[in-house]
Amino acid sequence: MKRFNIKRWISLGIIGCFLIGLSACGSNSNSTGNTTISGEATAASASVDEDTLYVGVGNYTDLTKIDTIEGYSYELNSVLNNVVETLFYYDEDSIAQPLLVDSYTESEDGTVYVFELKDYITFSDGTNLTAEDVVFSLERHRDADNASLLAWMFESVDTIEATDEYEVTVTLSTPDAMFLNTLCTPAGGIVSKAYYEEHEEDFGTVSGGIVGSGPYEITSWTSGEEVILQTYDGYWNAENTDIDFTTVDVIYYADSNVVTQALEAGQLDYSGYISDENAKELEECDTVTVRSTDTGASIFLSFNNSVEPFDDVNVRKAISYAIDKETIVEQIIGEKYSAVGTSLPFSDVLVSTQAEYFEGFFDSLNTYEYDVDTAKEYLSKSSVPDGFEFTLKYHSGDSGMESMALLIQQNLADIGITVDLEAISTSEWTTLRYGGSETRDYEAMITLWGTDYPDPVGVVLPMYYSTNNVAGGSNWAEYVNSTFDALMDAQAAELDVSARAELLKEALYILDDEVPAAPLYIKYSQTALSDRVEYTSTTMQLYNVYFKDFKKAS
């Protein structure tokens, strides 16, 4: 197997990035190095319209469906969040606030919610939004035939009923501390039942479209390339909504480097979740501002805990100690864009609203700091004391992931483990993660997770609760621990905030010890803005990027 001098390789990569960064910002040239700006990109923004917001999404050309049951990625939600509104929304402090709901009550035992809807809301086609639409929209996630990616959020729900024309009653089988947060995500997004029934065969596709109550509607959609949104007369909340950009052109690119070039050339106004490498280049551009936000996201090495030898905790700990995470942060990603974390796949930003109950908790966690001797000690106690060979998969087209994969390969060789590297496409990556146990034939994979809730539950429940290993579920590690499951059930049902925090910490300590995934680093979210616009990112930006909030620079 070919070996690399990782330190030298990384240094050359950094020099390469630096040289690329020297290219003129806003140059008239359509190419940089070996990458050429596509005809679609230059055509779409050859003449910038002052009332149009140009949004770029890189490394993604697979947008073939826009639907709430698939609303689990930035690439899709960039459009979905602005067309379909949710019952609640995350405000700038990541607190759930009513949107389509006028008022609500919660029973003393936390199991019954009664939502009174605003009775004057209309969809973009002019029809009224009623309780029937709400029940229909929520029940779609609970229908197993739909394989909703957000179905797990409804595990605690017993019944959803329209108890009046504008009243919905949700009864839970057990209290759920995160239920209102669920309704801030596409799980709480409301679509027109009538429109769906008229377009059931092609709903959410280019031919069928989607109808929501948001301030924008889709007026043009070229599958895998571009979606154009426009405001429309009759938006129910127009009097309270100040919109600067009446048109939004969302352009999808196969190569994230092209997004960078388009931003530098003034052809794009915004791109969220840009790669760390692209962020470094854009820092050199006077007309682009790069912002880093701790959203609680992390990059980690996900073990398949159901296959040998990764079912052995000593193997998992050996690998966790063997990886040089400081080199990843300092030399590959950069300290402005990342941080060395703990054993858990999120940062303390997710407990910021309940910090008093988690004081000292993160300091008490294992960090699995790089220690070759300790790694060898755990491997010697494992089922494979003499080492073994496995394949590590990672997302292609991302030089940062490739650099990490090479470093991991070198690190694990130092303790007697041979790593074969395999770069996989976006579609393969998605299938391996969300296809269910039958498709998870990998041994280990570098992957990432961003939270669904401003709470640790938004990470560890979807990732590690045992029943979330089904199709559409996110238990990619195939992790099963009945004690962890029981504690997660208990914390969800606990109404006392302090007592709930104690149960949650007990569950997190199990993950701290069993490391179903090896932590690599805390990933800050990088967003890029042209000097033509003003906008502030928040922690929950997977679900609350609203184009109505983008303003023309003063």
Side-chain angles (χ1 to χ4, degrees):
M1 183 180 300
K2 186 176 181 180
R3 299 292 181 190
F4 292 81
N5 181 321
I6 186 66
K7 299 289 186 181
R8 179 176 180 273
W9 192 90
I10 292 170
S11 298
L12 289 174
I14 293 173
I15 293 171
C17 290
F18 174 73
L19 291 176
I20 292 174
L22 292 177
S23 60
C25 179
S27 167
N28 291 326
S29 171
N30 280 348
S31 64
T32 301
N34 295 321
T35 305
T36 302
I37 298 181
S38 67
E40 291 85 0
T42 53
S45 49
S47 58
V48 175
D49 178 76
E50 66 175 10
D51 295 323
T52 298
L53 180 72
Y54 298 94
V55 177
V57 179
N59 278 345
Y60 192 85
T61 57
D62 297 335
L63 188 69
T64 57
K65 195 168 187 181
I66 298 173
D67 193 348
T68 55
I69 63 173
E70 298 188 10
Y72 221 20
S73 70
Y74 159 73
E75 295 86 359
L76 168 56
N77 290 352
S78 295
V79 173
L80 187 63
N81 293 344
N82 293 281
V83 174
V84 176
E85 291 178 315
T86 50
L87 292 173
F88 285 69
Y89 75 100
Y90 287 122
D91 66 13
E92 61 274 11
D93 297 315
S94 301
I95 296 173
Q97 303 287 359
L99 179 55
L100 302 180
V101 170
D102 189 47
S103 63
Y104 72 97
T105 59
E106 178 184 354
S107 64
E108 288 188 7
D109 66 356
T111 61
V112 180
Y113 288 85
V114 179
F115 299 104
E116 303 295 340
L117 305 175
K118 295 171 181 174
D119 60 6
Y120 50 86
I121 298 172
T122 56
F123 290 111
S124 58
D125 63 359
T127 60
N128 292 333
L129 186 156
T130 68
E132 187 177 10
D133 298 297
V134 173
V135 173
F136 170 75
S137 298
L138 301 188
E139 289 287 11
R140 289 186 69 219
H141 296 282
R142 302 211 310 149
D143 185 345
D145 290 339
N146 290 331
S148 169
L149 299 182
L150 297 96
W152 65 271
M153 295 184 177
F154 291 88
E155 287 292 323
S156 64
V157 174
D158 184 19
T159 60
I160 305 172
E161 301 173 286
T163 44
D164 205 340
E165 185 176 7
Y166 294 101
E167 181 183 273
V168 176
T169 299
V170 178
T171 302
L172 309 182
S173 56
T174 183
D176 184 352
M178 294 293 106
F179 186 62
L180 293 184
N181 288 293
T182 287
L183 302 181
C184 296
T185 77
I190 309 305
V191 298
S192 166
K193 177 184 178 183
Y195 186 85
Y196 176 89
E197 291 176 341
E198 292 172 5
H199 302 83
E200 185 171 357
E201 296 302 318
D202 59 357
F203 181 79
T205 67
V206 172
S207 59
I210 185 171
V211 167
S213 62
Y216 292 91
E217 62 180 348
I218 299 171
T219 56
S220 176
W221 179 5
T222 303
S223 182
E225 294 182 11
E226 182 180 49
V227 179
I228 296 178
L229 309 177
Q230 288 186 321
T231 56
Y232 58 92
D233 293 335
Y235 173 52
W236 67 273
N237 201 26
E239 289 186 6
N240 301 310
T241 307
D242 181 21
I243 298 178
D244 279 14
F245 295 100
T246 55
T247 300
V248 180
D249 189 352
V250 183
I251 308 167
Y252 293 85
Y253 302 86
D255 189 340
S256 63
N257 293 320
V258 182
V259 176
T260 300
Q261 295 166 35
L263 282 161
E264 291 175 326
Q267 298 170 343
L268 290 175
D269 295 309
Y270 171 77
S271 185
Y273 293 96
I274 61 174
S275 72
D276 305 310
E277 180 180 316
N278 293 146
K280 292 171 187 175
E281 179 178 345
L282 288 169
E283 295 279 7
E284 304 299 320
C285 185
D286 293 338
T287 59
V288 177
T289 300
V290 176
R291 292 178 180 160
S292 295
T293 305
D294 186 353
T295 62
S298 71
I299 303 291
F300 50 91
L301 194 160
S302 185
F303 303 116
N304 189 332
N305 288 242
S306 68
V307 302
E308 297 179 350
F310 299 106
D311 58 348
D312 185 338
V313 66
N314 288 312
V315 170
R316 301 196 298 269
K317 286 186 175 182
I319 292 175
S320 298
Y321 277 112
I323 299 173
D324 186 354
K325 292 173 278 294
E326 286 194 3
T327 291
I328 291 175
V329 168
E330 295 173 3
Q331 297 193 39
I332 297 178
I333 307 302
E335 294 176 279
K336 180 175 181 178
Y337 313 110
S338 61
V340 175
T342 66
S343 59
L344 301 178
F346 59 88
S347 72
D348 60 1
V349 72
L350 295 190
V351 299
S352 58
T353 60
Q354 46 189 323
E356 61 187 295
Y357 306 110
F358 284 84
E359 187 174 354
F361 172 72
F362 284 84
D363 291 335
S364 70
L365 295 171
N366 288 310
T367 60
Y368 292 95
E369 185 176 357
Y370 179 53
D371 189 327
V372 174
D373 290 337
T374 301
K376 289 180 178 179
E377 179 182 342
Y378 274 106
L379 192 63
S380 70
K381 296 189 293 186
S382 76
S383 56
V384 284
D386 298 322
F388 63 100
E389 183 174 356
F390 76 96
T391 298
L392 174 61
K393 299 187 179 186
Y394 64 94
H395 192 266
S396 62
D398 186 324
S399 61
M401 277 204 179
E402 184 176 13
S403 298
M404 282 188 291
L406 287 163
L407 176 60
I408 292 169
Q409 182 186 58
Q410 184 68 45
N411 287 162
L412 296 191
D414 292 340
I415 65 169
I417 297 176
T418 300
V419 180
D420 302 314
L421 301 180
E422 181 183 347
I424 57 176
S425 67
T426 299
S427 60
E428 290 176 290
W429 201 48
T430 301
T431 299
L432 284 174
R433 295 194 298 169
Y434 293 114
S437 297
E438 296 77 12
T439 68
R440 295 189 185 112
D441 59 354
Y442 60 87
E443 296 170 289
M445 176 170 61
I446 299 176
T447 188
L448 73 160
W449 186 266
T451 189
D452 296 291
Y453 307 138
D455 188 281
V457 168
V459 177
V460 301
L461 180 63
M463 278 181 57
Y464 297 129
Y465 197 84
S466 60
T467 56
N468 287 333
N469 66 343
V470 297
S474 304
N475 186 352
W476 312 322
E478 293 287 330
Y479 178 68
V480 177
N481 184 301
S482 58
T483 304
F484 172 80
D485 286 356
L487 285 166
M488 292 303 294
D489 291 340
Q491 65 80 31
E494 180 55 65
L495 300 180
D496 181 81
V497 178
S498 177
R500 173 183 172 267
E502 291 305 311
L503 290 166
L504 181 53
K505 285 188 283 188
E506 192 175 345
L508 296 176
Y509 277 129
I510 291 176
L511 300 178
D512 176 59
D513 182 57
E514 295 207 339
V515 280
L520 297 177
Y521 67 94
I522 298 299
K523 176 178 172 53
Y524 300 155
S525 174
Q526 320 304 333
T527 57
L529 282 172
S530 77
D531 58 4
R532 207 170 70 95
V533 300
E534 296 176 351
Y535 175 73
T536 301
S537 301
T538 68
T539 298
M540 297 307 299
Q541 59 189 260
L542 177 62
Y543 298 124
N544 71 349
V545 174
Y546 303 119
F547 295 140
K548 65 181 177 60
D549 295 334
F550 285 71
K551 303 303 177 184
K552 296 176 182 177
S554 54

